[in-house]
């Protein structure tokens, strides 16, 4: 009586709208999420969104997807989580498919190739900037610096799938922290 | 193995092990390209540029783009669903025991090691992009070897000077020039495309 149940299609379309408006990765999503989910729909409180978003950043996968699943499952359980997630990825699938088709058809043109050779330089700089930003958050002491250095050199010089580095690093984190506790 | 099954499995792994958002999937996508021959590293960089310049989360845009490159529209669906499946499962489990998860020492300690590793993987991807775009060094691995070989295309010299110049300008604009450093990446991508076209026409 007090709270009307949110329909699965409302979850899907609201998150589709959030997906279209998210421009440039999960980090750009937060202000839109606050406006749509907290202010307009009142599906979650401000603090809940911040919690979901924080957890979404440190669990595996795309931040936007993680946050959408969280809010969807809060409103309508497992089905809600799936509806919200499909909603947030739906616009990407449509837009990229159209663009990818267009680019494939025009990629033989000289000016398109020249444009992309300029863009590739920009991509170098954007990835470099992303690494610098992440470094400040992830390398916090000597041990995390050591993990960073080992994985960096290891994956530059060796052809080992990234999955193995991730598993080894998680194990190293647990091991190092346990040694620290015992050492005290 | 059918291509679709392989596509799903590769993206399932990416979704499960890439921690920290869209850019963290880059080293995984690079590895998929190398292992399967579905696309080159240069193709992947172009996909990344398009993904940064269009609406939607970057990670999903890239998964969609790779899926399209491999198998058209059905590839889009398989790759994207593959990438989001682990997230949905993990989050549904975490949501069920939210408090336990947040207070878990084991989880916190694992992430203490995971975060620098995730950054390092993106860093290594960055190194290979820089080598590929700004120098004429090519990285190859002979079949069966796990050690990468670095070789220089002797005829073209070590460095791509026009590229380096553009990179230096972009680095300054995105980090140290106040009026431009907070602009959306799409501005710099368009600028670089224009420079590329102009340089090609000259």
């Amino acid at each position: 009586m007090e709270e009307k149940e949110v329909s699965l299609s409302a979850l899907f379309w609201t998150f589709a709208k959030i997906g279209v408006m998210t421009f440039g990765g999960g980090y750009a999503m937060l202000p839109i999420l606050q406006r749509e989910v907290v202010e307009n729909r009142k599906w979650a409180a401000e603090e809940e969104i911040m919690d979901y978003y924080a957890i979404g950043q440190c669990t595996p996968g795309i931040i936007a997807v993680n946050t959408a699943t969280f809010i969807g499952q809060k409103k309508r359980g497992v089905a809600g989580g799936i509806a919200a997630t499909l909603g947030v990825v739906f616009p990407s699938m449509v837009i990229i498919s159209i663009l990818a088709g267009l680019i494939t058809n025009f990629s033989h043109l000289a000016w398109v190739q020249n444009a992309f050779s300029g863009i590739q330089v920009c991509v170098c700089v954007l990835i470099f900037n992303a690494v610098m930003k992440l470094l400040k958050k992830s390398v916090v002491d000597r041990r995390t610096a050591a993990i960073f250095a080992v994985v960096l050199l290891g994956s530059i010089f060796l052809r080992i799938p990234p999955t193995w580095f991730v598993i080894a690093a998680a194990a190293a984190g647990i091991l190092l922290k346990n040694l620290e506790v015992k050492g005290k | 193995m059918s291509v679709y099954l392989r596509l799903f499995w590769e993206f399932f792994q990416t979704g499960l092990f890439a921690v920290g958002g869209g850019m963290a999937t880059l080293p995984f996508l690079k590895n998929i390209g190398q292992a399967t021959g579905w696309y080159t590293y240069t193709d992947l960089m172009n996909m990344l540029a398009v993904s940064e310049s269009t609406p939607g989360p970057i990670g999903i845009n890239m998964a969609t783009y790779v899926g399209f490159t491999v198998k058209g529209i059905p590839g889009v669906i398989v790759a994207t669903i593959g990438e989001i499946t682990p997230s949905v499962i993990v989050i549904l489990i975490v949501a069920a025991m939210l408090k336990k998860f947040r207070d878990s020492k084991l989880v916190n300690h694992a992430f203490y090691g995971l975060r620098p590793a995730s950054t390092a993987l993106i860093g290594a991807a960055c190194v290979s992009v820089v080598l590929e775009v700004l120098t004429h060094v090519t990285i190859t691995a002979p079949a069966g070897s796990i050690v990468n070989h670095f070789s220089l295309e002797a005829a073209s010299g070590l460095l791509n000077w026009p590229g380096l110049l553009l990179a230096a300008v972009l680095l300054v604009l995105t980090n140290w020039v106040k009026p431009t450093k907070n602009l959306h990446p799409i501005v710099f991508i368009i600028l670089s495309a224009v420079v590329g076209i102009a340089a090609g026409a000259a």
Side-chain angles (χ1 to χ4, degrees), chain A residues 101-177:
Chain A
L102 283 175
I103 291 168
T104 312
N105 284 328
F106 292 109
S107 62
H108 63 279
L109 299 173
W111 71 269
V112 175
Q113 287 169 4
N114 292 335
F116 274 108
S117 57
I119 288 171
Q120 281 159 14
V121 174
C122 188
V123 170
C124 287
V125 175
L126 293 177
I127 300 175
F128 179 80
N129 289 346
V131 173
M132 288 299 137
K133 214 175 271 171
L134 288 168
L135 260 180
K136 283 176 206 149
K137 277 196 246 168
S138 58
V139 176
V140 290
D141 54 24
R142 234 185 253 167
R143 284 167 300 179
T144 41
I147 293 175
F148 174 81
V150 170
V151 176
L152 181 72
L153 293 174
S155 55
I156 289 175
F157 291 105
L158 301 176
R159 188 150 296 195
I160 299 172
T163 303
W164 298 112
F165 286 111
V166 170
I167 294 171
I174 294 169
L175 207 70
L176 286 170
K177 278 286 182 184

Side-chain angles (χ1 to χ4, degrees), chain A residues 110-122, chain B residues 160-170 173 186-202:
Chain A
W111 71 269
V112 175
Q113 287 169 4
N114 292 335
F116 274 108
S117 57
I119 288 171
Q120 281 159 14
V121 174
C122 188
Chain B
N160 166 9
W161 286 106
L164 276 171
L165 186 66
L166 177 59
V169 171
L170 290 170
L173 288 178
I186 195 174
V187 175
F188 302 105
I189 290 173
I190 292 171
L191 176 75
S192 309
V194 172
V195 171
I197 294 168

Side-chain angles (χ1 to χ4, degrees), chain B residues 5 53 149 188:
Chain B
L5 211 60
S53 323
H149 282 227
F188 302 105

Side-chain angles (χ1 to χ4, degrees), chain B residues 123-163:
Chain B
C126 179
V127 170
S128 13
V129 180
V130 168
L131 285 179
E132 179 136 354
V133 175
L134 300 180
T135 75
H136 295 106
V137 175
T138 31
I139 308 172
T140 47
S145 166
I146 60 156
V147 181
N148 280 323
H149 282 227
F150 300 83
S151 52
L152 185 65
E153 291 163 48
S156 39
L158 175 63
L159 299 169
N160 166 9
W161 286 106

Side-chain angles (χ1 to χ4, degrees), chain A residues 9-129:
Chain A
S9 73
L11 278 170
F12 180 90
W13 289 110
T14 302
F15 276 92
K17 193 175 164 195
I18 293 170
V20 175
M21 293 194 299
T22 300
F23 214 95
Y27 296 103
M29 187 192 188
L30 192 58
I32 298 151
L33 214 54
Q34 283 164 332
R35 196 173 60 218
E36 281 300 311
V37 175
V38 181
E39 288 164 30
N40 291 354
R41 304 266 172 177
K42 302 196 168 47
W43 284 346
E46 179 83 34
E47 303 81 67
E48 283 176 295
I49 295 282
M50 295 306 291
D51 269 9
Y52 295 162
Y53 189 71
I55 294 169
Q57 283 184 51
C58 70
T59 43
I62 311 296
I63 300 168
V65 168
N66 296 347
T67 314
T69 309
F70 242 126
I71 297 166
Q73 77 81 33
K74 186 200 168 220
K75 300 315 286 183
R76 284 295 302 268
V78 174
I82 294 170
T85 303
L86 290 178
V88 86
V89 302
F90 176 68
S92 291
M93 291 168 82
V94 175
I95 294 167
I96 293 285
S97 297
I98 295 169
L99 268 178
L102 283 175
I103 291 168
T104 312
N105 284 328
F106 292 109
S107 62
H108 63 279
L109 299 173
W111 71 269
V112 175
Q113 287 169 4
N114 292 335
F116 274 108
S117 57
I119 288 171
Q120 281 159 14
V121 174
C122 188
V123 170
C124 287
V125 175
L126 293 177
I127 300 175
F128 179 80
N129 289 346

